[in-house]
Amino acid sequence: MTTFINLASASVLLSAIYCLVNSGLVLLYRSTGVLNFAHGQFVMLGAYVMSTLSFGTYSLRLAVAAVAVAAVSWVSYHLLIRRLSGEDEFRKVVLSFMLAVLLTQAIVLVWGTDSRQVATSTDATFALGDAQVRWSVIVSAVTATAVAMGLTWFLARTITGLRMRALAANEELAAYGGTKVHRLAGLAWAIAGAGAALAGVMYAETTTVSLALSDILLVAFPAAVLGGLHSLPGSILGSVILATLLTFCGYFFGGEWVNVIAYVVLLAVLVVRPFGLLGSPSAQRL
């Protein structure tokens, strides 16, 4: 029973991290039509910034890290991505790969390649059966759920959110309609960057701050595809399913199977239901 509780606790924490990562991915895809493969670098940047801060409370440092990464994400959009406004998605994806390389090299120049540490939000635990569960797991789960639900409401119920969705559907038509295209897209990138920073700090609390943190995107992305790249609730569902599957399979079969299982799931979804569990097929006029 203790083993099961520990595995369930690890699944909850991993689900929260995946959820925060995928919320940013889905937000950008739904609002600007860009599949940002530099998102893992923003996750890593958030952890590095947090490891540098030493003033104030944990919440203050976390807020500063989120704002810093949001600013870098906003600047990245305006300096690079907006230059391809109106271009096809393939060029934007290639540019996001180049942005990932650039951010990685910038982090190496500033912080080097040595591993670093971040302090946990709390070391307190509570008893659940014979196991001890960390309160930080609950905090992470609540934070991730609140962020995902907030973004879902924002896109569905606010004028700004509806304009972002119109922007992704047809950028040129949105611009002709008076939408401030680059202002909205920059806001989406900033929000996604802040969420990535939160995910990076949560992830770094369970391991170390290193260049390997960006690899979280390689495992989280299949969860976004599983839930549906057009659905924020789907990103939550996909994150929970894949995190639970990987945690238990990693325990029973070994950690070397984690990436294999993640991409087997991704391939299966692409073959059987390419638009995801909560996504919907899109029709294009030929």
Side-chain angles (χ1 to χ4, degrees):
M1 186 63 179
T2 301
T3 300
F4 175 80
I5 293 174
N6 289 334
L7 289 174
S9 174
S11 298
V12 169
L13 180 57
L14 193 59
S15 297
I17 295 170
Y18 287 175
C19 183
L20 285 173
V21 174
N22 290 330
S23 292
L25 278 177
V26 174
L27 173 65
L28 289 182
Y29 193 70
R30 286 195 63 182
S31 61
T32 65
V34 176
L35 194 56
N36 180 24
F37 284 99
H39 202 62
Q41 275 63 31
F42 289 116
V43 171
M44 178 172 61
L45 179 60
Y48 271 97
V49 172
M50 186 68 171
S51 70
T52 305
L53 303 177
S54 59
F55 57 84
T57 63
Y58 177 89
S59 299
L60 177 60
R61 296 194 299 273
L62 184 61
V64 171
V67 171
V69 178
V72 173
S73 183
W74 183 87
V75 170
S76 298
Y77 169 77
H78 283 284
L79 288 181
L80 297 173
I81 306 299
R82 72 173 290 176
R83 306 295 179 185
L84 296 182
S85 179
E87 299 288 344
D88 59 83
E89 292 184 8
F90 176 74
R91 293 186 180 183
K92 295 178 181 179
V93 169
V94 171
L95 186 56
S96 75
F97 275 111
M98 299 303 296
L99 176 59
V101 174
L102 179 62
L103 288 173
T104 299
Q105 295 306 311
I107 288 173
V108 171
L109 289 174
V110 175
W111 285 283
T113 58
D114 293 336
S115 298
R116 304 168 67 91
Q117 299 288 335
V118 296
T120 58
S121 56
T122 176
D123 294 324
T125 62
F126 64 93
L128 186 61
D130 295 329
Q132 293 292 322
V133 180
R134 292 181 297 152
W135 275 109
S136 59
V137 173
I138 307 301
V139 173
S140 298
V142 171
T143 301
T145 303
V147 169
M149 292 179 63
L151 289 178
T152 301
W153 175 85
F154 173 74
L155 285 175
R157 300 296 182 182
T158 67
I159 297 298
T160 301
L162 292 175
R163 287 175 176 170
M164 283 184 175
R165 291 164 60 188
L167 173 63
N170 193 317
E171 187 175 301
E172 293 184 0
L173 185 60
Y176 287 138
T179 299
K180 303 296 183 182
V181 171
H182 297 305
R183 181 182 299 177
L184 285 178
L187 176 61
W189 276 73
I191 295 173
L198 296 179
V201 173
M202 289 181 186
Y203 189 32
E205 288 180 1
T206 66
T207 177
T208 59
V209 181
S210 68
L211 298 178
L213 285 181
S214 63
D215 293 343
I216 187 69
L217 182 65
L218 300 178
V219 187
F221 178 67
V225 176
L226 175 62
L229 281 173
H230 286 91
S231 173
L232 278 168
S235 72
I236 300 177
L237 178 62
S239 297
V240 171
I241 292 175
L242 193 62
T244 303
L245 178 64
L246 295 184
T247 300
F248 280 83
C249 288
Y251 175 78
F252 288 107
F253 302 113
E256 64 272 12
W257 284 93
V258 169
N259 288 342
V260 176
I261 294 170
Y263 281 92
V264 166
V265 171
L266 175 59
L267 290 173
V269 172
L270 290 176
V271 171
V272 177
R273 193 178 174 86
F275 45 84
L277 295 176
L278 298 186
S280 56
S282 58
Q284 293 183 346
R285 181 178 296 174
L286 300 178

